[in-house]
Amino acid sequence: MGSAERKEREKHEMRELILSAAKSLFLKEGFEHVTIRRIAEEIEYSPATVYLYFADKDTILCALQELGFRELYKKQQVLAVIQNPADRLRACGKIYMDFAMENQEWYDLMFIMRAPMKAFDTPADWNLGKDTYDVLRAIIIECIEKGYLKAKDPQIACFALWSLMHGVVSIFIRDRAPMIPKEHREHVIDSILDFTMAEFLEK
Amino acid sequence: MGSAERKEREKHEMRELILSAAKSLFLKEGFEHVTIRRIAEEIEYSPATVYLYFADKDTILCALQELGFRELYKKQQVLAVIQNPADRLRACGKIYMDFAMENQEWYDLMFIMRAPMKAFDTPADWNLGKDTYDVLRAIIIECIEKGYLKAKDPQIACFALWSLMHGVVSIFIRDRAPMIPKEHREHVIDSILDFTMAEFLEK
DNA sequence: CATAATTATAAACGCCGTTCATTTATTAAT
DNA sequence: ATTAATAAATGAACGGCGTTTATAATTATG
């Protein structure tokens, strides 16, 4: 009897329905309107029904987060055409920070908000973030190999440069830089990239 | 009739009472237990009474934030005894990141959480953060003057280095670095400082 | 067709920040 | 000292949230 398979498929479809409602709420009305009750309303089910398909709200946010990572990973793909690793490093930073500033709520969900992280205990669940992180790591390893970076430990160099970029955009997103007018943000990001390349890189 | 002054004083005392209850809840039970209802319970008044002394919850969080800034500023004072500006820069970073890791919820409130920032629209309210930021800026200006840093724009250098430090600790605090075991965090912070000093500084 | 299993829901629980009509306490004026 | 005016405090509610549970509706199986 193949009805078990259909059941499985229906369950999966319902999950997708819930996620798409969550996503559309997120995009149209912002994070704070993504509530179980609003999701349920959107798909015309009761709030309790949502809990038949997802353990809790964090699990749903986690799935949304995943979409964000895919988007970022997609944007990183254009880096492949840049030959010089130093140029590629700069472009990587630019793509990262532009993504953050153009999709602030997504970035917030992916890298700042507490909520979705409660859902995974084990680092194994971090696969999504890992892929995007590995893009940076590969570039840095090449930069070290080719002598653009004098750092010997790529782990540290990678974490430091990621931290720098994350620091910049997360300060902006959470409004901790009143000394920098909003109109200057884009320019500051470029200046930070220039500064970093000038100070960090050898040639 | 000096009763108006006494009224003023009583009002101030009540505000202090509320804040001290908020602080003690924050320290003893963590941020999530700092609710208007719990504060009211703590001081044995009704929740509505709290609103006679504070406009809303964010205003209270804002005052808590201020305490955090004072604490950080106090810790920065030991920097004064360090003569060499490059050494002072490193120590400044160390103090900052240690403060963040040892007082994670305070740091979160000061630099990450959205809540207390809704309370101030104008950069004028940022005086507290400005003092601690100026400590870093003074050091960097001296580093540039004395040729330790080749950057010409201290604004950018300052923002970049702050971003780097903030990035590191905020990634840790919000658990975005599963690739780094918790036991290694302290060591990574030191390595980041080494890396930064090595890559950034001239001599 | 009847029974078992699944799916959906209404209603509630226990929180939250906040508001407002009403009561209680204090002060000022007669 | 008594009353009138002012200020302080509150109980109860509003509208929200995530989540749970007992019950009802639906669907599948024997």
Side-chain angles (χ1 to χ4, degrees):
Chain A
M1 56 197 84
S3 76
E5 295 158 27
R6 197 210 44 197
K7 282 286 200 60
E8 202 55 40
R9 198 180 56 230
E10 280 174 358
K11 195 149 191 132
H12 182 260
E13 275 165 12
M14 186 63 165
R15 267 201 276 258
E16 290 299 315
L17 185 63
I18 290 167
L19 287 180
S20 79
K23 183 185 172 186
S24 111
L25 274 172
F26 186 79
L27 287 173
K28 286 189 200 136
E29 311 194 23
F31 174 77
E32 68 178 355
H33 290 101
V34 182
T35 69
I36 299 288
R37 286 171 145 94
R38 293 277 281 112
I39 291 171
E41 189 185 306
E42 204 83 354
I43 62 176
E44 294 176 293
Y45 280 83
S46 79
T49 303
V50 176
Y51 286 89
L52 297 178
Y53 299 92
F54 288 94
D56 52 30
K57 191 186 173 183
D58 285 348
T59 312
I60 296 173
L61 294 183
C62 209
L64 279 189
Q65 203 187 34
E66 191 171 331
L67 297 181
F69 276 111
R70 277 196 223 295
E71 204 60 40
L72 174 57
Y73 187 72
K74 214 187 289 171
K75 300 220 167 163
Q76 286 178 324
Q77 295 316 300
V78 307
L79 292 169
V81 304
I82 304 176
Q83 296 297 324
N84 181 279
D87 292 341
R88 208 177 329 128
L89 181 59
R90 194 192 198 282
C92 182
K94 178 74 174 158
I95 284 172
Y96 186 88
M97 293 196 278
D98 281 353
F99 172 84
M101 298 313 290
E102 285 162 18
N103 310 275
Q104 300 197 12
E105 287 211 297
W106 283 112
Y107 189 87
D108 206 318
L109 185 63
M110 290 157 71
F111 294 108
I112 308 181
M113 280 200 299
R114 198 142 252 167
M117 300 313 283
K118 285 183 291 189
F120 30 86
D121 305 327
T122 76
D125 301 299
W126 191 242
N127 288 328
L128 322 133
K130 195 177 175 298
D131 287 345
T132 64
Y133 191 65
D134 280 345
V135 171
L136 174 63
R137 198 165 60 185
I139 298 173
I140 282 175
I141 288 172
E142 198 178 331
C143 280
I144 292 174
E145 276 171 1
K146 304 214 170 136
Y148 288 97
L149 218 51
K150 57 186 161 203
K152 30 194 187 307
D153 186 350
Q155 286 271 56
I156 292 299
C158 193
F159 190 63
L161 290 175
W162 174 38
S163 294
L164 173 45
M165 298 186 298
H166 168 73
V168 171
V169 298
S170 63
I171 285 169
F172 284 152
I173 289 173
R174 290 297 177 102
D175 279 316
R176 254 56 175 204
M179 71 291 270
I180 296 171
K182 287 199 176 176
E183 321 87 69
H184 294 182
R185 286 182 178 179
E186 193 57 42
H187 178 252
V188 165
I189 283 175
D190 289 328
S191 302
I192 294 269
L193 282 169
D194 291 339
F195 169 81
T196 307
M197 298 303 288
E199 299 280 351
F200 274 109
L201 296 196
E202 293 290 292
K203 311 178 187 179
Chain B
M1 58 196 87
S3 75
E5 296 159 24
R6 196 211 42 196
K7 282 284 198 62
E8 202 54 42
R9 198 181 56 230
E10 279 175 357
K11 196 149 191 132
H12 182 260
E13 274 166 12
M14 186 62 165
R15 267 201 275 260
E16 290 299 316
L17 185 62
I18 289 167
L19 288 180
S20 80
K23 183 184 171 186
S24 113
L25 273 172
F26 186 80
L27 287 173
K28 287 188 199 138
E29 311 194 22
F31 174 77
E32 68 178 354
H33 290 100
V34 182
T35 69
I36 299 287
R37 286 171 145 93
R38 291 279 280 113
I39 291 170
E41 188 185 307
E42 204 82 356
I43 62 177
E44 294 176 292
Y45 280 83
S46 80
T49 303
V50 176
Y51 285 89
L52 298 178
Y53 299 92
F54 288 94
D56 52 30
K57 192 186 174 183
D58 284 349
T59 312
I60 296 173
L61 294 183
C62 210
L64 278 189
Q65 204 187 33
E66 190 170 332
L67 296 182
F69 276 112
R70 278 196 220 296
E71 204 59 41
L72 174 56
Y73 188 70
K74 213 187 289 171
K75 299 220 166 161
Q76 286 178 323
Q77 296 314 302
V78 308
L79 293 169
V81 304
I82 304 175
Q83 296 295 324
N84 182 279
D87 292 343
R88 209 178 327 127
L89 182 59
R90 194 191 198 281
C92 183
K94 178 72 174 160
I95 285 171
Y96 186 89
M97 294 196 278
D98 281 354
F99 172 84
M101 298 313 291
E102 285 162 17
N103 310 276
Q104 300 198 13
E105 287 212 297
W106 283 112
Y107 189 87
D108 206 317
L109 186 62
M110 292 157 70
F111 294 107
I112 309 180
M113 274 197 235
R114 197 142 253 166
M117 300 313 283
K118 284 182 292 189
F120 32 86
D121 304 328
T122 76
D125 300 301
W126 191 243
N127 287 329
L128 323 134
K130 194 176 176 298
D131 287 344
T132 64
Y133 191 65
D134 281 344
V135 170
L136 174 62
R137 197 163 61 186
I139 297 173
I140 283 175
I141 287 173
E142 197 179 331
C143 280
I144 293 174
E145 276 171 2
K146 305 218 168 131
Y148 288 99
L149 218 52
K150 57 185 159 203
K152 30 194 186 305
D153 186 350
Q155 286 271 57
I156 292 299
C158 193
F159 190 63
L161 289 174
W162 175 38
S163 294
L164 174 46
M165 297 186 299
H166 169 72
V168 171
V169 297
S170 63
I171 285 168
F172 284 152
I173 289 173
R174 291 298 177 102
D175 279 316
R176 254 57 174 204
M179 71 289 271
I180 296 170
K182 287 199 176 175
E183 322 86 71
H184 295 181
R185 285 183 178 179
E186 194 56 42
H187 179 251
V188 165
I189 284 175
D190 289 328
S191 302
I192 294 269
L193 282 169
D194 291 339
F195 168 82
T196 307
M197 299 302 288
E199 300 280 351
F200 274 108
L201 297 195
E202 293 290 291
K203 310 177 189 177

